[in-house]
Amino acid sequence: MTETTKTHVILLACGSFNPITKGHIQMFERARDYLHKTGRFIVIGGIVSPVHDSYGKTGLVSSRHRLTMCQLAVQSSDWIRVDPWECYQDTWQTTCSVLEHHRDLMKRVTGCILSNVNTPSITPVIGQPQNESSQNIYQNNSNVSNKPTAAKILGKVGESLSRICCVRPPMERFTFVDENANLGTVMRYEEIELRILLLCGSDLLESFCIPGLWNEADMEVIVGEFGIVVVPRDGADPERIMNHSSILRKYKNNILVVKDDSNHPMSVVSSTKSRLALQHGDGHVVDYLCQPVIDYILKSQLYINASG
């Protein structure tokens, strides 16, 4: 497939991130590597979206701390960023509403129409924003027909998104694609297909099978309209899980299961194990959390009981 026919993807992960672990970052990296290997996708960005404080989970620390830890965890990444929108709402938001927010944000910024994962749109999905001049607004130092490269186009989109998303307390701006990123051939931005896919572990997929836990209409939107990228955890079998849900079976083609040869122990995704290690002064916490996050936790005295 050429660069113009590949689907450009933004991976969105929702969760408590209490705290964010090395495993959460590995999920992004493994998902991106796998999607690239399929030859069908180009991952241009990753979004970490921590849950609202009113989610009510026992032991959930303030979103102020969780946002900071997430930012520290991704500070060395050139493609994964933290989005505070979910935390800044008046109350808890469903996963479906978070996905819809980012889809609507893309529409406002780019005038795009996002297609389903298996039904590419015939409509230009990254067009020139409305009320903008028809002049070429991207500078191109090469002599290639003055067409903008995908990196510059998507970088421009990222800059616009950062201005809209990060309107609260000053936060590090994010750009989905680095200016030096190599996305291959030059293309017209009208030809790029862009999608937002939910990134999750197989435990979240399994939760879809618990009667009454998820709103069925939300599940239809999440799986049917957006699509999911699943990173298997702890020997779970996503194929078996999908067979236990009529909705998952219905939209099975919209569920992309990461298959690779890596031996990453996905147990390090566990925030629970990280908190227990901190409470017991277990040195293995370094296996779960990156050092800047550990330093912040110790400085802020998070998750550590009196005896710890």
Side-chain angles (χ1 to χ4, degrees), residues 34 81 143 171 179 201 218-219 263 265 284 290 306:
Y34 174 73
R81 296 294 181 264
N143 295 319
M171 306 186 72
E179 281 296 316
D218 282 1
M219 288 177 62
N263 293 314
H284 285 97
C290 66

Side-chain angles (χ1 to χ4, degrees), residues 64-65 68 294-304:
R64 173 174 64 89
H65 291 305
T68 299
I294 294 175
D295 293 341
Y296 181 84
I297 288 172
L298 295 177
K299 179 180 177 181
S300 304
Q301 289 293 289
L302 305 176
Y303 312 117
I304 302 173

Side-chain angles (χ1 to χ4, degrees), residues 1 40 68 70 121 126 153 273:
M1 298 178 70
R40 297 164 50 199
T68 299
C70 287
S121 173
I126 298 187
I153 294 161
K273 290 183 179 180

Side-chain angles (χ1 to χ4, degrees), residues 89-107:
Q89 301 312 295
D90 293 333
T91 188
W92 169 75
Q93 302 293 308
T94 65
T95 300
C96 182
S97 65
V98 177
L99 283 162
E100 290 176 331
H101 159 73
H102 286 284
R103 177 185 62 190
D104 294 342
L105 182 60
M106 277 293 183
K107 288 180 180 178

